[in-house]
């Protein structure tokens, strides 16, 4: 259901996940509608900077010497995606960090891996995380779930996330929406308004798994979030 919320200034940070060139240039790893996603991320970043919201930029970069077991490799023996020597792991120029914004590296799905990210956010007084990026059912999913587990409220910006197909993205958002306790799902416009201090009606989970979606109704339910 949709309920009005506001976010207290000084308690919100914006987290951008894996907005890398490979998602628009590597045929193995393309994200559907990536141009629109980047445009929406730009709007979020502009709103964050305008309202003094800290920005954290994450990139997924794999060093096989430290990779997880069973990590896929290509015919040359390099990581099948996001290899540390691949220039396409660079953050897309439109949404790249500015000035002193944090540029962070991970080689696992979640931004809350073997690091002190959560502790630093807590120490800064952060309570809410605006989260956007790719892929919805993978790195976004893992980051959102870990953020909630660590006590953060997540504002998941559905039209600033994406995956290889609309079906993968929409069902990924619906799965998260069903379990986004303490947080909310919204769109870019309303996320910008919330960072500016406005009160906005957003979708929040109520009860246990309220979104029972099927192949037939998933797109409609996603649109209603």
């Amino acid at each position: 259901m949709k309920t009005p919320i506001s976010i207290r200034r000084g308690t919100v940070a914006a987290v951008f996940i894996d907005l890398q060139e490979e998602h628009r240039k590597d045929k193995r790893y393309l994200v559907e509608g990536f141009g629109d996603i980047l445009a929406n991320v730009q709007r979020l970043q502009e709103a964050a900077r305008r309202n003094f919201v800290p920005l954290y930029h994450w990139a997924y970069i794999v060093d096989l010497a430290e990779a997880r077991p069973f990590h896929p490799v290509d015919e040359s023996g390099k990581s099948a995606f996001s290899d540390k020597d691949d220039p396409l792991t660079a953050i897309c120029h439109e949404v790249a960090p500015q000035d002193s914004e944090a540029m962070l590296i991970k080689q696992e799905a979640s931004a809350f891996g073997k690091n002190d990210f959560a502790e630093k956010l807590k120490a800064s007084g952060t309570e809410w995380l605006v989260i956007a990026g790719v892929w919805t059912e993978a790195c976004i999913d893992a980051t959102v779930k870990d953020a909630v587990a660590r006590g953060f409220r997540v504002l998941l910006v559905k039209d600033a996330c994406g995956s290889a197909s609309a079906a993968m993205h929409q069902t990924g958002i619906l799965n998260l929406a069903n379990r986004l306790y303490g947080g909310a799902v919204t769109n870019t416009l309303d996320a910008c308004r919330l960072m500016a201090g406005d009160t906005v009606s957003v979708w929040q989970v109520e009860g246990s798994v309220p979104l029972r979606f099927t192949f037939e109704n998933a797109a409609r339910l996603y649109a209603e979030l």
Side-chain angles (χ1 to χ4, degrees):
M1 64 177 297
K2 289 197 174 183
T3 53
I5 68 166
S6 58
I7 298 176
R8 187 163 50 91
R9 287 185 177 273
T11 67
V12 58
V15 179
F16 301 100
I17 302 293
D18 304 347
L19 293 161
Q20 294 160 254
E21 287 288 353
E22 59 192 335
H23 301 301
R24 65 175 164 188
K25 293 182 179 177
D26 187 334
K27 292 181 180 179
R28 304 168 300 173
Y29 215 32
L30 298 177
V31 167
E32 184 175 335
F34 197 48
D36 292 335
I37 293 164
L38 292 176
N40 284 334
V41 168
Q42 282 184 291
R43 295 182 184 101
L44 292 173
Q45 292 180 347
E46 289 164 2
R49 292 170 184 134
R50 208 165 43 241
N51 292 286
F52 306 102
V53 172
L55 285 76
Y56 297 90
H57 305 259
W58 282 92
Y60 187 98
I61 299 178
V62 176
D63 181 347
L64 283 180
E66 302 174 8
R68 61 191 175 186
F70 313 116
H71 185 88
V73 297
D74 62 20
E75 61 278 1
S76 70
K78 292 185 176 182
S79 172
F81 48 83
S82 309
D83 186 82
K84 64 182 179 61
D85 296 322
D86 187 345
L88 294 184
T89 59
I91 299 292
C92 296
H93 66 88
E94 306 99 310
V95 296
Q98 293 185 7
D99 303 324
S100 59
E101 293 169 7
M103 179 67 242
L104 303 160
I105 305 299
K106 62 187 178 70
Q107 61 171 17
E108 51 197 304
S110 175
F112 295 94
K114 299 171 185 176
N115 57 48
D116 60 355
F117 187 43
E119 289 74 16
K120 287 182 176 178
L121 290 170
K122 295 275 189 183
S124 70
T126 300
E127 299 173 5
W128 278 90
L129 298 178
V130 177
I131 293 182
V134 298
W135 286 22
T136 310
E137 79 289 356
C139 294
I140 295 296
D141 181 273
T143 297
V144 168
K145 288 176 178 174
D146 280 354
V148 173
R150 286 161 174 76
F152 296 102
R153 297 181 183 274
V154 170
L155 187 68
L156 178 59
V157 189
K158 66 177 186 176
D159 57 349
C161 296
S163 189
S165 69
M168 292 169 72
H169 165 64
Q170 290 173 2
T171 54
I173 292 288
L174 290 169
N175 274 320
L176 284 170
N178 267 331
R179 297 165 179 85
L180 193 50
Y181 307 115
V185 180
T186 192
N187 57 42
T188 297
L189 175 61
D190 286 342
C192 293
R193 292 178 58 202
L194 283 164
M195 285 191 283
D198 292 348
T199 298
V200 179
S201 289
V202 295
W203 196 92
Q204 293 189 294
V205 62
E206 185 175 275
S208 176
V209 197
L211 298 169
R212 301 300 178 106
F213 57 91
T214 66
F215 292 116
E216 292 74 25
N217 71 5
R220 176 180 61 79
L221 290 175
Y222 171 85
E224 292 173 354
L225 289 176

